[in-house]
Amino acid sequence: MLALTSIWTTVLLAAAVALGPLATDMYLPALPQIGSEFGTGTDKVQLTLSLYMAGFAIAQLAYGPLADRFGRKPIMICGMILFAIASVGCALATNIETLMACRFLQALGGSAGPVLGRAAIRDIYTPREAAKILAILASMMALAPAVAPTIGGFLVTSFGWSSIFTTLAVYALLMAVVVAIGMPEPMRPEYRQPLKLCNLMRNYRHIATDVTFLGYTLTNALIFSGLFAFLSGSSFVLIDFLEVKPEHFGLYFAGIVVGYVSGNMTAVRLSSKLLPDQILVRGLLVAVAGGVIMAGLAMANVYSPWAVIIPQAIFMAGTGMVLPQTMAGALANFPRMAGSASALFGFAQMAIAAIAGALVGHLHDGTSLVMALVICGSAGLALAAYLLVVQSNPAPGFEPESASAQ
């Protein structure tokens, strides 16, 4: 077994949490082919993404309390096995309706990794330490979206879209075995919560009425919505509209991952000099700049892959600075119910992101304009949430010493 504070435990958690991004990023190059094979439109194909996000959100509400009762490790393993079974169902789907249903089931399993990964980090580290470790974990996880679209494009071109889901099934089963053998249980026995409906509802009510939790969660969910808007629309914009070849899609996608990793690494470097909230607001301003540039170019009818990728890379640099701080801030007040807090946090994140993705799919006009406007709007609303809620209700240890002493 690995030591809880070992870098290899963080690597293992990153690999487990990456299951969620892989399930979206790897099959992005396949969306146009799936629509063509099943004879359906962009809106229905995009629903396979939104339904995945909806299932991802709903399942977290169950995983959090279950993990607070039985521990992080067994629940994570069960989720990975469900993910693998559903992935096989996706690979065997013969119509869009079956694919939608299996994607929903896939999400129910895949959400175990992120919600329990966040909770495990909160189990092991203090809130300020967690912000730094989450940034490192996010940088490790960035390998998934960096290589996943390229791998997906190769699989689509060589073996067809169903091979993507076969690959995901194998990865999930492998991770279940590795977690079972290599990861210790991070939750303290004395922190286990009884699994009773009244207790669950009381815990969720306590978490949901914490203003600090609400502020960080809303900021996170809104900035994540901009990321998901790009995931929802990028394949249609780049492949259908801008005529990027599916096998080259991942190369363009890697550009935004570079931005994201740059943001994560900047957050890690700044963590010794600045407070988490100071890093957070800087990241929000960078994300807003990227959104404004993309929307401005689209409104000016400047259409090229780089008019999308470069502004999105800037947006993602800001996002890479924002996400770790908001995750750590949202969980800071709940060391004894980190699983439930992480679940509610993830539910809000995915639910709001699913709305943004559905907007992109429903309003898509064949250009990059709708996607760009949703990304820009998400960044602006995230900044507003920070200024209106987070700034006056910082997490413990996130505020300046003079403020915490008052």
Side-chain angles (χ1 to χ4, degrees), residues 273-323:
K273 303 175 183 178
L274 300 176
L275 292 164
D277 274 0
Q278 294 172 324
I279 300 171
L280 172 55
V281 72
R282 285 163 171 77
L284 287 169
L285 292 172
V286 172
V288 168
V292 169
I293 292 170
M294 187 190 296
L297 290 172
M299 293 175 70
N301 297 322
V302 177
Y303 296 129
S304 80
W306 299 113
V308 172
I309 295 301
I310 292 176
Q312 184 64 16
I314 297 172
F315 173 88
M316 290 302 293
T319 300
M321 297 171 68
V322 169
L323 293 186

Side-chain angles (χ1 to χ4, degrees), residues 24 27-28 30-32 34-36 38 40-54 96 99-100 103 225 227-237 240 350 352-364 370-371 374:
T24 53
Y27 100 126
L28 291 178
L31 293 181
I34 291 172
S36 176
F38 290 153
T40 190
T42 299
D43 54 342
K44 273 201 169 183
V45 176
Q46 195 279 332
L47 270 179
T48 63
L49 269 175
S50 290
L51 281 173
Y52 180 87
M53 298 301 282
I96 193 67
L99 181 60
M100 287 179 183
R103 281 286 286 172
S225 294
L227 166 57
F228 191 66
F230 179 80
L231 295 179
S232 298
S234 59
S235 60
F236 297 106
V237 169
D240 284 351
M350 297 301 172
I352 294 176
I355 294 171
L359 278 175
V360 172
H362 182 70
L363 301 176
H364 180 60
V370 170
M371 182 183 75
V374 173

Side-chain angles (χ1 to χ4, degrees), residues 84 87 165-175:
S87 296
F165 293 104
T166 303
T167 302
L168 288 170
V170 172
Y171 180 85
L173 289 175
L174 178 62
M175 285 308 308

